[in-house]
Amino acid sequence: MREIYLFISLFVLLSCGGSEESYEDATAMDAEGMIVPRSNYTQLQNQIFYGTVPIELEITPKSNTPSFAWRTTGSKFMVLTIFEDKIDLRGKTVANPQDVVWTWHSGVGKGREGNVSFSDGADVEKSEISNPATATSLEPNSIYYIAIWGYDDAYNLMYSSKEYKYQTALR
């Protein structure tokens, strides 16, 4: 009986070996070096397209007409998109284009890679980009999901950001 107890105890200890890592993943150090829970789990999220070069996207906080900035990649074709629901992928294809509400890409002719204002993009309705390109403010106090990705000269998917959860201003 004692052997079984020892075996179970050993099994539990060994199987929890990764718990320290999990605890560290769910925590961060504050200014005084104290461990505190992470408040923004999106920082731990992977890029939307596996195996691509990462892009860090900066977004104007809590705005109904956000601006976007990132380090330029030199890519001739970049796509920046706002979804009203989480981004759903099938391989290297967006599976829920019906959830796109706004987009910008390098062929629009306004904005430039690395620095895009909301007014540089266009509304999307029923998976169609508005023509002429107009950008209607996002709904106040709403949650959206934002990502950017880019292609090389041969149109191979090369770059992508993580999916950013974004809340607009109250009004």
Side-chain angles (χ1 to χ4, degrees):
M1 183 70 168
R2 186 176 200 145
E3 292 169 347
I4 292 174
Y5 177 75
L6 183 60
F7 175 76
I8 292 171
S9 298
L10 183 59
F11 177 76
V12 169
L13 284 173
L14 291 175
S15 64
C16 293
S19 66
E20 204 173 311
E21 291 175 1
S22 298
Y23 179 72
E24 288 174 10
D25 288 345
T27 61
M29 295 288 224
D30 69 4
E32 289 95 32
M34 300 294 290
I35 295 176
V36 295
R38 285 194 195 271
S39 60
N40 185 355
Y41 288 97
T42 58
Q43 293 178 355
L44 303 176
Q45 186 174 344
N46 295 328
Q47 295 161 248
I48 61 168
F49 294 112
Y50 177 76
T52 56
V53 176
I55 299 173
E56 292 293 324
L57 186 61
E58 293 182 24
I59 308 167
T60 307
K62 295 214 176 222
S63 172
N64 299 336
T65 58
S67 292
F68 309 91
W70 65 96
R71 288 182 190 251
T72 60
T73 63
S75 174
K76 292 180 183 174
F77 194 70
M78 299 293 294
V79 179
L80 175 63
T81 304
I82 300 176
F83 293 76
E84 62 184 353
D85 203 356
K86 289 186 173 206
I87 302 168
D88 186 18
L89 302 173
R90 281 196 196 103
K92 294 191 175 187
T93 305
V94 173
N96 59 332
Q98 71 280 1
D99 292 331
V100 175
V101 295
W102 178 94
T103 193
W104 172 89
H105 60 79
S106 43
V108 169
K110 297 190 290 185
R112 66 182 194 283
E113 188 201 357
N115 192 348
V116 172
S117 296
F118 190 80
S119 60
D120 295 333
D123 294 335
V124 177
E125 190 173 327
K126 297 179 184 174
S127 303
E128 296 288 327
I129 299 173
S130 66
N131 189 8
T134 56
T136 307
S137 297
L138 298 172
E139 290 293 320
N141 200 30
S142 296
I143 300 290
Y144 292 94
Y145 300 87
I146 302 171
I148 186 169
W149 58 92
Y151 301 84
D152 65 13
D153 290 344
Y155 296 101
N156 297 307
L157 187 58
M158 188 76 177
Y159 310 95
S160 70
S161 70
K162 63 185 179 182
E163 176 183 79
Y164 293 85
K165 186 176 180 180
Y166 184 77
Q167 183 165 4
T168 56
L170 296 175
R171 278 231 171 251

